Amino acid sequence: MQQTASADYGYLRELVYGLSQNVLDPSRDYLFDTRLSKLLRNQGMSHVGQLVSHLRSARNPSLERAIAEAMTINETSFFRDARPFELLRTELLPRLIEARRMQRSLRVWSAACSTGQEAYSLAMLLIEHFPLLAGWNFRIEGTDIANEVVDRARTGCYHRIEINRGLPARFVVRYFDHHGEDWTIKPEVRRMCNFRQANLCATQLPFSHMDDRFDIILLRNVMLYFAQETRRRLLAGIHRLLSQDGVLFLGSSEQPADPSLWTPVLASGTCYFKPRQPGWQAGGIGTRE
Ligand SMILES: C[S@@+](CC[C@H](N)C(=O)[O-])C[C@H]1O[C@@H](n2cnc3c(N)ncnc32)[C@H](O)[C@@H]1O
């Protein structure tokens, strides 16, 4: 394979950062060669240096976006890290449902939803354990920067290997239709979820605080790719979109960049975050109510 100059990798790192705010470490430059191989083939190019020369000679926004998307890590699974889902089932959802019994409405956002397993896990959990929500106005919004994963989320079609990761057998039987190696989510689950492309680091978040606020936001395993300032800005925006008694889940290794906005609550071996109201003092870690 032809050698790629380090300046070319630097150019691509800058490009990815500019479009998705994902910070890529130079020690992992080899990932450009592997992750962009399909895109290079489609462009009739044989190496990354050729792609960079092409971009340096003429801007190509759709190709640049495709590069940024190809460099995202889309790892996910059904009921990933199980504990947040267990806590939602046993404590947080019963509390929120009680609080919303007059409005009969609940809104959830799976931000950085990848191929949709997180959103569908929650939808299945709701159908399975909270049948009374059938008559409610209930929406799960899923967004991700990468068009390809959003398209896959919309189809709700998963390979046997994806199904075998984290999904209880009775959920597979009850909520999926089976065609050879592919399993497609049933329409009753599919229609609870709405997926669309959105960049969490764009100047405006994909939802407005003028709409109904969210009751649950799952922002898991994405902030680790962002710089500290990007995380701070994003979480300030998320804070405005979450209802006062709503809950935020981050990935198990992630923390809010600005602790003055959030109260961490430890419960059932996991941690979630409640929005603090302006003027509150930053305090220590809370515990289950
Ligand atoms: C590791 S996956 C996490 C998926 C899911 N939240 C989970 O925890 O299983 C990270 C996702 O974040 C998305 N992502 C990365 N940068 C983003 C951005 N700036 N805006 C929106 N989504 C982004 C990627 O496309 C990828 O699908």
Side-chain angles (χ1 to χ4, degrees), residues 77-94 118 121-122 125 166 168 216 218 220-221 247-253 265-272 288:
S77 56
F78 288 102
F79 295 100
R80 183 175 187 176
D81 303 335
R83 285 177 180 163
F85 292 95
E86 195 48 22
L87 184 64
L88 281 162
R89 180 181 75 79
T90 54
E91 288 186 30
L92 302 179
L93 276 163
E118 183 174 81
S121 299
L122 199 57
L125 184 142
I216 301 167
L218 305 166
R220 301 193 310 152
N221 305 304
V247 296
L248 167 72
F249 279 94
L250 302 178
S252 53
S253 61
V265 183
L266 298 177
S268 305
T270 188
C271 180
Y272 69 93
R288 181 200 305 266

Side-chain angles (χ1 to χ4, degrees), residues 19-22 69 72-77 80-81 110-115 117-118 143-146 149 198-202 218-222 224-226 251:
L19 290 174
S20 68
Q21 236 84 83
N22 284 218
E69 285 193 19
T72 56
I73 311 259
N74 307 120
E75 167 73 16
T76 189
S77 56
R80 183 175 187 176
D81 303 335
S110 168
C113 64
S114 185
T115 37
Q117 285 91 326
E118 183 174 81
T143 63
D144 198 283
I145 194 171
V149 293
N199 182 355
L200 291 171
C201 305
L218 305 166
L219 178 70
R220 301 193 310 152
N221 305 304
V222 62
L224 67 168
Y225 304 112
F226 299 153

